[in-house]
Amino acid sequence: MTTAIKNTTPESTERKTHRSPLELLALSLFTALMLVVFLQFCTRYLLNDSLAWTEEIARYLMVCIVFTGSLILAQKGEHILLEVTYRLASRSNTKPLVLFAQLLSLIYYLVLAVFAGLLALKTEQLLISIPFPKALIYAFVAMTLMLSSWASFLRLKKLSKLTGSEIFEKIDGPADEARGI
């Protein structure tokens, strides 16, 4: 079973009526992807002559959506984790395990951000179908990974201030103690 350490304050359980700028960006990218794929479908199957640029644009829009979504989840602390590890370990080991996992996430984001940044700096190619630099796409990925690193660092700092029991409750919820688990 996978879950995330979620923010369970009363404010977080209410339905949100406004979206963050990152969520709006992800929604805009997804809408653009949907339009491009619909255009591709219409031209290929209805007109029997597909537009060459739609597949490539759809692919890169998907890449941007994935990394934007990853950043949103990193900020919210909702990336999946294997809670079985925390359930099998004693409560005294919960905090070190969670901090270690968060530190690994931070390092992972940083390493990927460095590689994406280097790739963006070295790439001079344009997309095949339209004159748009690939380096800008790689720079976007590097930026989202750097922001994910920052979010992971802030989360690590926040988690380090909690006790092992508080972290365990965020993972497992207080109701499990009442059930005798």
Coordinates of all heavy atoms in Angstrom, one line a residue, residues 42-80:
C42 N -8.2 14.5 -35.3 CA -9.1 15.0 -36.4 C -8.3 15.0 -37.8 O -8.9 14.5 -38.8 CB -9.6 16.4 -36.1 SG -10.8 16.4 -34.8
T43 N -7.1 15.5 -37.8 CA -6.4 15.5 -39.1 C -6.0 14.1 -39.6 O -6.1 13.8 -40.8 CB -5.1 16.4 -39.0 OG1 -4.3 15.9 -38.0 CG2 -5.5 17.8 -38.7
R44 N -5.7 13.2 -38.6 CA -5.3 11.9 -39.1 C -6.5 11.0 -39.5 O -6.4 10.4 -40.6 CB -4.5 11.2 -37.9 CG -4.1 9.7 -38.3 CD -3.3 9.1 -37.3 NE -1.9 9.7 -37.4 CZ -1.0 9.6 -36.5 NH1 -1.2 8.9 -35.4 NH2 0.2 10.1 -36.7
Y45 N -7.5 11.0 -38.7 CA -8.6 10.0 -39.0 C -9.8 10.6 -39.8 O -10.5 9.9 -40.4 CB -9.1 9.4 -37.7 CG -8.0 8.6 -37.1 CD1 -7.4 9.0 -35.9 CD2 -7.6 7.4 -37.6 CE1 -6.4 8.2 -35.3 CE2 -6.6 6.6 -37.1 CZ -6.0 7.0 -35.9 OH -5.0 6.3 -35.3
L46 N -10.0 11.9 -39.7 CA -11.1 12.6 -40.4 C -10.6 13.1 -41.8 O -11.3 13.0 -42.7 CB -11.7 13.7 -39.6 CG -12.3 13.2 -38.2 CD1 -12.9 14.4 -37.5 CD2 -13.4 12.1 -38.5
L47 N -9.4 13.7 -41.8 CA -8.9 14.3 -43.0 C -7.9 13.3 -43.8 O -7.5 13.6 -44.9 CB -8.3 15.6 -42.8 CG -9.2 16.7 -42.1 CD1 -8.4 17.9 -41.8 CD2 -10.4 17.0 -43.0
N48 N -7.5 12.3 -43.1 CA -6.6 11.3 -43.7 C -5.3 11.9 -44.0 O -4.6 11.5 -44.9 CB -7.2 10.6 -44.9 CG -7.5 9.2 -44.7 OD1 -7.2 8.6 -43.6 ND2 -8.0 8.5 -45.7
D49 N -4.9 13.0 -43.3 CA -3.6 13.6 -43.6 C -3.2 14.3 -42.3 O -3.6 15.4 -42.0 CB -3.7 14.7 -44.7 CG -2.4 15.3 -45.1 OD1 -1.4 14.6 -44.9 OD2 -2.4 16.4 -45.5
S50 N -2.3 13.6 -41.5 CA -2.0 14.2 -40.2 C -1.0 15.3 -40.3 O -0.1 15.3 -41.2 CB -1.4 13.1 -39.3 OG -0.2 12.6 -39.7
L51 N -1.0 16.2 -39.3 CA -0.1 17.3 -39.2 C 1.2 16.7 -38.6 O 1.2 16.0 -37.5 CB -0.6 18.4 -38.3 CG -1.8 19.2 -38.9 CD1 -2.4 20.1 -37.9 CD2 -1.4 19.9 -40.2
A52 N 2.3 17.0 -39.1 CA 3.6 16.4 -38.7 C 4.0 16.9 -37.3 O 4.6 16.1 -36.5 CB 4.7 16.7 -39.7
W53 N 3.7 18.1 -36.9 CA 4.2 18.6 -35.7 C 3.4 18.2 -34.4 O 3.9 18.4 -33.3 CB 4.2 20.2 -35.8 CG 2.9 20.8 -36.1 CD1 2.4 21.1 -37.3 CD2 1.9 21.2 -35.1 NE1 1.2 21.7 -37.2 CE2 0.8 21.7 -35.8 CE3 1.8 21.2 -33.7 CZ2 -0.3 22.2 -35.2 CZ3 0.7 21.7 -33.1 CH2 -0.4 22.2 -33.9
T54 N 2.2 17.7 -34.6 CA 1.4 17.4 -33.4 C 2.0 16.3 -32.5 O 1.9 16.5 -31.3 CB 0.0 17.0 -33.8 OG1 0.1 15.9 -34.7 CG2 -0.8 18.1 -34.5
E55 N 2.6 15.3 -33.0 CA 3.1 14.2 -32.2 C 4.3 14.7 -31.3 O 4.4 14.5 -30.1 CB 3.6 13.0 -33.0 CG 2.5 12.1 -33.4 CD 3.0 10.9 -34.1 OE1 3.9 10.3 -33.5 OE2 2.4 10.5 -35.1
E56 N 5.2 15.5 -31.9 CA 6.3 16.0 -31.2 C 5.9 17.0 -30.1 O 6.4 17.0 -29.0 CB 7.3 16.7 -32.2 CG 8.6 17.1 -31.5 CD 9.6 17.7 -32.5 OE1 9.2 18.2 -33.5 OE2 10.8 17.6 -32.2
I57 N 5.0 17.9 -30.5 CA 4.5 18.9 -29.5 C 3.8 18.2 -28.3 O 4.0 18.5 -27.2 CB 3.6 19.9 -30.2 CG1 4.4 20.7 -31.3 CG2 3.0 20.9 -29.2 CD1 5.6 21.4 -30.8
A58 N 3.0 17.2 -28.6 CA 2.3 16.5 -27.6 C 3.3 15.8 -26.7 O 3.1 15.8 -25.4 CB 1.4 15.4 -28.2
R59 N 4.4 15.2 -27.2 CA 5.4 14.5 -26.4 C 6.0 15.5 -25.4 O 6.2 15.3 -24.2 CB 6.4 13.9 -27.3 CG 7.5 13.2 -26.6 CD 8.5 12.4 -27.5 NE 8.7 13.0 -28.8 CZ 8.3 12.6 -30.0 NH1 7.5 11.5 -30.0 NH2 8.6 13.2 -31.1
Y60 N 6.4 16.7 -25.9 CA 7.1 17.7 -25.0 C 6.1 18.3 -24.1 O 6.5 18.7 -23.0 CB 7.9 18.7 -25.9 CG 9.1 18.1 -26.5 CD1 9.3 17.9 -27.8 CD2 10.1 17.6 -25.6 CE1 10.4 17.3 -28.3 CE2 11.3 17.0 -26.1 CZ 11.4 16.8 -27.5 OH 12.5 16.2 -28.0
L61 N 4.9 18.5 -24.5 CA 3.9 19.0 -23.5 C 3.7 18.0 -22.4 O 3.6 18.4 -21.2 CB 2.5 19.3 -24.2 CG 2.4 20.6 -25.0 CD1 1.1 20.6 -25.8 CD2 2.5 21.8 -24.1
M62 N 3.7 16.7 -22.7 CA 3.6 15.7 -21.7 C 4.8 15.7 -20.7 O 4.6 15.6 -19.5 CB 3.5 14.3 -22.3 CG 3.3 13.2 -21.3 SD 1.8 13.3 -20.4 CE 0.6 12.7 -21.6
V63 N 5.9 15.9 -21.2 CA 7.1 16.0 -20.4 C 7.0 17.2 -19.4 O 7.2 17.1 -18.2 CB 8.4 16.2 -21.2 CG1 9.6 16.6 -20.3 CG2 8.7 14.9 -21.9
C64 N 6.5 18.3 -19.9 CA 6.3 19.5 -19.0 C 5.2 19.3 -18.0 O 5.4 19.7 -16.9 CB 6.0 20.7 -19.9 SG 7.4 21.3 -20.9
I65 N 4.2 18.6 -18.4 CA 3.1 18.3 -17.4 C 3.6 17.4 -16.3 O 3.3 17.6 -15.1 CB 1.9 17.6 -18.2 CG1 1.2 18.6 -19.0 CG2 0.9 17.0 -17.2 CD1 0.2 18.0 -20.0
V66 N 4.4 16.4 -16.7 CA 4.9 15.5 -15.6 C 5.8 16.2 -14.6 O 5.6 16.0 -13.4 CB 5.7 14.3 -16.3 CG1 6.5 13.5 -15.3 CG2 4.7 13.4 -17.0
F67 N 6.7 17.0 -15.1 CA 7.6 17.7 -14.1 C 6.9 18.8 -13.4 O 7.2 19.0 -12.2 CB 8.8 18.2 -14.9 CG 9.8 17.1 -15.2 CD1 9.8 16.5 -16.4 CD2 10.6 16.6 -14.2 CE1 10.7 15.4 -16.7 CE2 11.5 15.6 -14.4 CZ 11.5 15.0 -15.7
T68 N 5.9 19.4 -13.9 CA 5.1 20.4 -13.2 C 4.3 19.7 -12.1 O 4.2 20.1 -11.0 CB 4.1 21.2 -14.1 OG1 4.9 21.8 -15.2 CG2 3.4 22.2 -13.4
G69 N 3.7 18.6 -12.5 CA 3.0 17.8 -11.5 C 3.8 17.3 -10.4 O 3.5 17.2 -9.2
S70 N 5.0 16.9 -10.7 CA 6.0 16.4 -9.7 C 6.3 17.5 -8.7 O 6.4 17.3 -7.5 CB 7.2 15.9 -10.4 OG 8.2 15.4 -9.4
L71 N 6.5 18.7 -9.3 CA 6.8 19.9 -8.4 C 5.6 20.2 -7.5 O 5.8 20.4 -6.3 CB 7.1 21.1 -9.3 CG 7.2 22.4 -8.5 CD1 8.3 22.4 -7.4 CD2 7.5 23.5 -9.5
I72 N 4.4 20.1 -8.0 CA 3.2 20.3 -7.1 C 3.2 19.3 -6.0 O 2.9 19.7 -4.9 CB 2.0 20.3 -8.0 CG1 1.9 21.5 -9.0 CG2 0.7 20.3 -7.1 CD1 0.8 21.4 -10.0
L73 N 3.4 18.1 -6.3 CA 3.4 17.0 -5.3 C 4.5 17.2 -4.3 O 4.4 16.9 -3.1 CB 3.4 15.6 -5.9 CG 2.2 15.2 -6.7 CD1 2.4 13.9 -7.4 CD2 1.0 15.2 -5.8
A74 N 5.7 17.6 -4.8 CA 6.8 17.8 -3.8 C 6.5 19.0 -2.9 O 6.8 18.9 -1.7 CB 8.1 18.1 -4.6
Q75 N 5.8 20.0 -3.4 CA 5.5 21.1 -2.5 C 4.4 20.7 -1.5 O 4.4 21.1 -0.3 CB 4.9 22.3 -3.3 CG 6.0 23.1 -4.0 CD 5.4 24.3 -4.8 OE1 4.2 24.3 -5.1 NE2 6.3 25.2 -5.0
K76 N 3.5 19.9 -1.9 CA 2.4 19.4 -1.0 C 2.9 18.3 -0.1 O 2.2 17.9 0.9 CB 1.2 19.0 -1.8 CG 0.5 20.1 -2.5 CD -0.7 19.6 -3.2 CE -1.5 20.7 -3.8 NZ -2.7 20.2 -4.5
G77 N 4.0 17.7 -0.4 CA 4.5 16.5 0.4 C 3.6 15.3 0.1 O 3.4 14.5 1.0
E78 N 3.1 15.1 -1.1 CA 2.2 14.1 -1.4 C 2.7 13.0 -2.4 O 2.0 12.3 -3.0 CB 0.9 14.6 -1.9 CG 0.1 15.4 -0.9 CD -1.3 15.9 -1.3 OE1 -1.6 15.7 -2.5 OE2 -2.0 16.4 -0.5
H79 N 4.1 13.0 -2.6 CA 4.6 12.0 -3.4 C 4.4 10.6 -2.7 O 4.4 10.6 -1.4 CB 6.1 12.2 -3.6 CG 6.4 13.0 -4.8 ND1 6.2 12.6 -6.1 CD2 7.0 14.2 -4.9 CE1 6.5 13.5 -7.0 NE2 7.0 14.5 -6.3
I80 N 4.2 9.6 -3.4 CA 3.9 8.3 -2.8 C 5.1 7.8 -2.1 O 6.3 8.1 -2.4 CB 3.4 7.3 -3.8 CG1 4.5 7.0 -4.9 CG2 2.1 7.7 -4.4 CD1 4.2 5.8 -5.8

